[in-house]
Every structure is written in C-alpha cells, then in structure tokens.
Amino acid sequence: MPSSASRYGRNASARPAAVVILVAALILAACAGRPGPGSLIETDATAPGAKTHEILIATTRKRDTTRGSLFSGERGGGLDHAVATVSVPPDHKPGAIEWPSIPPGDPTKDFTLRSAAYLDDKGFSAELERQLAKRPRGKREVFLFVHGYNTRFPEALYRMTQLKHDSNMPSVAVLFTWASSGDVTGYLYDTNSATIARDSLERTLRALTSSSADRVNVLAHSMGNWVLTETIRQIRISGKPLPARKIGLIAMAAPDVDVDVFKAQLRSSGRPERPYVILVSRDDRALR
C-alpha cells in the first residue's frame, strides 16, 4: 500500500509517530563500519554529554556467553529476550555508528555498552511495563525495529540505539533481531532464518499490544520486511487480529520482498487499517 500524508492528516496523534519513523528510516541509508570482536564488552566508564538508551530485545538468535557478545548468528530454540543500556558519545554524528576501535570503547567518542542482561518472558513484560510507566498516559508508545539481511547482533543493537537517539523519539525502543548470519554470502541462510522468525515476531507483537502501550509503531528494513509481512499475514488469517487501536505506523524501508509476493500477502490478509509507508531509494542497487 502506498503512503499518503493526507490520510495521516486526519489523525493528529499519528503525525508525530510518522515523522519520527520516516526520519529514522532515512537515517538507515547512512554508511557505517562493521563491529570488531568484543564490541559489546561492558564498561562503567562515562563521559560528560554522553546519553544512554535502554533497549529491549526480542530475538530468535542463540545466546553467546563469550565475553563481548550476547547473541550469535546461530538460530536459537525459540524466542529469547534481553535488555541493554547503550551509551552514545557526545559528538555523535547523525546517521553514523561510532564503533569502538579498542574494546570496550571510549564513551567520549564511541558507542559503548553500559550493561546487558538476559530476560525470560515475564522479565521482558515487566521491563516493558516499567519503561512504559515512565511516560504519561496517552503517550505510551513503543517503537519496534526489525533489522535486515547481513546483520550481526552488535550491528542490530547499535543501529536500534542510533535510530532512537537520532530521531529523539520518546517511545520505548524494542529491537526484534532474527538469526542473520551477518555474512554477505549468507542470503539463503538469512532467508530461512527470517522465515523461521515469523512465529516469534507474532508473539512479540501480541506481547507489545497486550501491554499498557497506547500505540505500537513498526519499522522494518530490507529482509526484515519479509518477516514482518509474513507475520502480518499469518496474524490476519488466524482469526485473532491485533487490537487495531494500538497499531500505529508500519513503515517498510528498502523492502526485500517480491512485489507479486507482497500483493499475494495483501490479498490473503486484507486491506490494512492504516496504509503502510514504503521507503525506497533510487541508489539502492540491490533492490533495483
């Protein structure tokens, strides 16, 4: 479905969310390096002007207890959860991720991990409610980000942090990270991992919409849109729809979904309550 600014003009509460996520999606086009080993080693070091962000994590990745890592590119046994606090340096450049060159990084100039912990289902729900309770009623929004192909876990976590920081969004940030291999040669593995993640994304969406959140906004990037559209389809045909009043903006950035497949998904799931926002770039050679 194409987007329409006039349609959103009828709903004043949708406009801020639309602006936030559209800006965030455009930031995805910025170039960034790749993380080195140990990029997620925790540090207590602080820096004047640095800002921290709490990120809730829902994932189908396998846990990795190696120091400097939380989750690997391997598939886990189902849906897992964690929470992380990430520090953004005071001189951060919008659109960039300042990777630590020497672990655990320097908070004056690098993204650094302040803390992280695994959570069970109840712990995830409790942490979600804790963060929502910090916000006034009527403004308790969740921003769910589903990353794309060829993405390592540290990249997914720091990209989510960068999106939250650069867009200055007040929403609770939730990262859904599926088991991408993080290797450009792993397209088939990633496609299968994305397909496997559908049930877990459905569980996550149901958990978010059954919480005290007023609205849940979603941004998917690249192959993450395959997970998202397939999940929306299976929810709609299940006969157990999500509460429409809680679904905000659904934005699809550089969607790696065949257009005929997308049309077939829409035929199965029916017309969405709100139009999807689809963002593409003429410079995207992979999707051309």
Side-chain angles (χ1 to χ4, degrees), residues 206-264:
R206 292 194 184 279
L208 297 178
T209 54
S210 65
S211 72
S212 62
D214 298 307
R215 188 180 298 272
V216 177
N217 301 301
V218 184
L219 169 65
H221 180 232
S222 178
M223 194 178 284
N225 287 285
W226 170 251
V227 189
L228 176 63
T229 55
E230 279 287 282
T231 301
I232 291 173
R233 176 185 179 275
Q234 77 177 36
I235 290 173
R236 292 293 289 268
I237 65 178
S238 72
K240 298 177 181 179
L242 301 174
R245 72 184 188 282
K246 288 199 172 188
I247 301 300
L249 190 70
I250 296 180
M252 303 170 62
D256 189 359
V257 180
D258 182 272
V259 66
D260 291 324
V261 172
F262 185 49
K263 290 176 181 177

Side-chain angles (χ1 to χ4, degrees), residues 88-273:
V88 178
D91 294 329
H92 162 72
K93 295 180 180 179
I97 297 176
E98 289 85 4
W99 294 106
S101 56
I102 301 176
D106 180 349
T108 65
K109 59 181 181 180
D110 303 322
F111 276 61
T112 55
L113 182 67
R114 295 294 306 279
S115 65
Y118 296 116
L119 300 172
D120 58 17
D121 288 357
K122 290 183 178 179
F124 177 83
S125 296
E127 182 62 24
L128 173 63
E129 292 296 343
R130 185 186 70 82
Q131 293 196 32
L132 287 169
K134 295 179 179 179
R135 293 150 174 85
R137 293 185 183 276
K139 295 184 179 180
R140 293 177 177 175
E141 298 202 353
V142 171
F143 172 56
L144 176 67
F145 174 55
V146 186
H147 66 74
Y149 156 69
N150 186 21
T151 302
R152 302 169 189 170
F153 176 72
E155 292 174 303
L157 176 59
Y158 282 3
R159 178 62 70 188
M160 173 80 259
T161 306
Q162 177 254 317
L163 290 173
K164 178 173 174 57
H165 183 89
D166 288 353
S167 61
N168 197 31
M169 58 184 181
S171 309
V172 175
V174 179
L175 167 67
F176 184 84
T177 173
W178 47 277
S180 169
S181 64
D183 191 315
V184 71
T185 64
Y187 192 86
L188 180 59
Y189 177 89
D190 277 17
T191 301
N192 290 331
S193 292
T195 302
I196 292 169
R198 294 174 297 185
D199 290 349
S200 293
L201 180 55
E202 178 178 350
R203 281 182 57 191
T204 301
L205 285 168
R206 292 194 184 279
L208 297 178
T209 54
S210 65
S211 72
S212 62
D214 298 307
R215 188 180 298 272
V216 177
N217 301 301
V218 184
L219 169 65
H221 180 232
S222 178
M223 194 178 284
N225 287 285
W226 170 251
V227 189
L228 176 63
T229 55
E230 279 287 282
T231 301
I232 291 173
R233 176 185 179 275
Q234 77 177 36
I235 290 173
R236 292 293 289 268
I237 65 178
S238 72
K240 298 177 181 179
L242 301 174
R245 72 184 188 282
K246 288 199 172 188
I247 301 300
L249 190 70
I250 296 180
M252 303 170 62
D256 189 359
V257 180
D258 182 272
V259 66
D260 291 324
V261 172
F262 185 49
K263 290 176 181 177
Q265 290 168 332
L266 286 177
R267 284 193 293 269
S268 296
S269 60
R271 184 181 180 87
E273 287 79 7

